[in-house]
Amino acid sequence: MQHEIHHFASLTEACTSLVREIIRLARQATEARGIFSLVLAGGNTPLQLYSLLAAPSLLAEMPWQNTHLFWGDERWVPPEHPDSNFGMAADAMLRAIPLPDKNIHRIQGEAASAETAANLYERELRAFFADQPPVFDLILLGMGADGHTASLFPQSPALEEKNRWVTAIPAPRNLPAVDRITLTLPVLNLARHLFFLLTGPEKLAIVQQIVDNQKDAAQTYPAALIKPAGHLAWFTATK
Ligand code: 6PG
């Protein structure tokens, strides 16, 4: 399998390139189907990406009125909690873009349990896709230093999930050690386009193992199980 890797010296350069790609895909999707469905990654790395995407100079280029935002995973915390992936995106981007509230499809981390939040999110996705397969135009993912992606952690039973679109994950060892809610592999692998964004030598070493032998890497790293029907690319930076 040929791997498409865009490597940069810095995260800023990687995010600048990735923003251009996101805008290109957003315009292409909107022209083709009238909307652009974008799944945001959590964690800290994409914060710079989201701030760049919300830059005043780019507002006119991005078809925000036709864009629908989703999240690949969430922590079981309320949206105002410092560990909320929605909260991070809200601070970095949502407040600065002309996105209609109805186009924001967040995971309700404030629900009574992670399982309830997962069921509610699956219900929202099934309504959005009118019970057709959930083919997102673009899914953004990060990767942990253990090779997890979204909230799919190594050796997790959730890696075997074939039917549910969204599932709850018991609190991992990884911080923040709270229950999670995550899209499942069948949904991630339906994406028209799926881009990873990651930095640092530990994660780059995992990417190299995936490039060298994805089958072997998939025994250890959930990120190696990401083989979308569509286009996969890695946006990586040395630091
Ligand atoms: C999460 C993320 C997770 C993240 C990686 C990398 O909720 O934590 O979705 O998959 O992308 O853990 O996180 P950093 O970018 O903070 O290293």
Side-chain angles (χ1 to χ4, degrees), residues 135-213:
V135 181
F136 289 103
D137 290 309
L138 173 57
I139 296 179
L140 298 174
L141 287 176
M143 188 180 75
D146 60 356
H148 82 260
T149 192
S151 285
L152 297 167
F153 294 93
Q155 319 305 324
S156 167
L159 296 173
E160 306 306 321
E161 178 57 55
K162 298 286 185 277
N163 300 307
R164 294 185 65 175
W165 294 6
V166 188
T167 193
I169 302 289
R173 286 192 301 276
N174 311 54
L175 294 178
V178 293
D179 290 358
R180 311 289 185 95
I181 301 99
T182 188
L183 295 184
T184 57
L185 283 171
V187 174
L188 297 175
N189 282 328
L190 272 178
R192 284 194 179 90
H193 300 270
L194 190 147
F195 297 155
F196 279 95
L197 175 66
L198 57 91
T199 68
E202 278 180 304
K203 297 181 185 184
L204 290 171
I206 292 175
V207 174
Q208 190 56 56
Q209 290 181 62
I210 293 171
V211 168
D212 291 347
N213 189 325

Side-chain angles (χ1 to χ4, degrees), residues 5 8 13-14 25 30 33-34 40 42 53 67 88 91 100 107 133 146 170-171 173 200:
I5 297 179
F8 301 87
E13 289 166 290
L25 292 180
T30 302
R33 290 177 296 279
L40 297 181
L53 196 52
T67 296
M88 180 273 276
D91 292 344
I107 299 170
D146 60 356
R173 286 192 301 276

Side-chain angles (χ1 to χ4, degrees), residues 50-66:
Y50 302 157
S51 301
L52 270 177
L53 196 52
S57 59
L58 295 179
L59 285 182
E61 295 191 46
M62 186 69 187
W64 286 117
Q65 289 302 313
N66 303 84

Side-chain angles (χ1 to χ4, degrees), residues 6-157:
H6 305 270
H7 184 71
F8 301 87
S10 71
L11 179 58
T12 301
E13 289 166 290
C15 291
T16 303
S17 173
L18 184 44
V19 159
R20 298 307 324 165
E21 262 308 277
I22 292 170
I23 292 172
R24 183 181 72 79
L25 292 180
R27 297 170 73 93
Q28 185 184 79
T30 302
E31 279 151 33
R33 290 177 296 279
I35 71 161
F36 175 54
S37 52
L38 172 58
V39 177
L40 297 181
N44 300 312
T45 303
L47 197 153
Q48 192 175 149
L49 174 69
Y50 302 157
S51 301
L52 270 177
L53 196 52
S57 59
L58 295 179
L59 285 182
E61 295 191 46
M62 186 69 187
W64 286 117
Q65 289 302 313
N66 303 84
T67 296
H68 285 256
L69 289 184
F70 302 81
W71 274 259
D73 72 324
E74 188 53 279
R75 291 81 181 269
W76 182 48
V77 296
E80 64 278 4
H81 189 283
D83 288 334
S84 167
N85 285 333
F86 167 81
M88 180 273 276
D91 292 344
M93 177 170 67
L94 299 187
R95 296 189 177 91
I97 58 177
L99 189 71
D101 286 347
K102 66 176 177 54
N103 291 21
I104 297 175
H105 308 270
R106 70 176 181 88
I107 299 170
Q108 297 177 50
E110 70 276 24
S113 69
E115 182 65 21
T116 302
N119 293 336
L120 287 170
Y121 203 49
E122 179 147 342
R123 193 182 305 163
E124 175 155 0
L125 294 185
R126 286 186 182 277
F128 181 81
F129 287 101
D131 270 328
Q132 295 305 303
V135 181
F136 289 103
D137 290 309
L138 173 57
I139 296 179
L140 298 174
L141 287 176
M143 188 180 75
D146 60 356
H148 82 260
T149 192
S151 285
L152 297 167
F153 294 93
Q155 319 305 324
S156 167

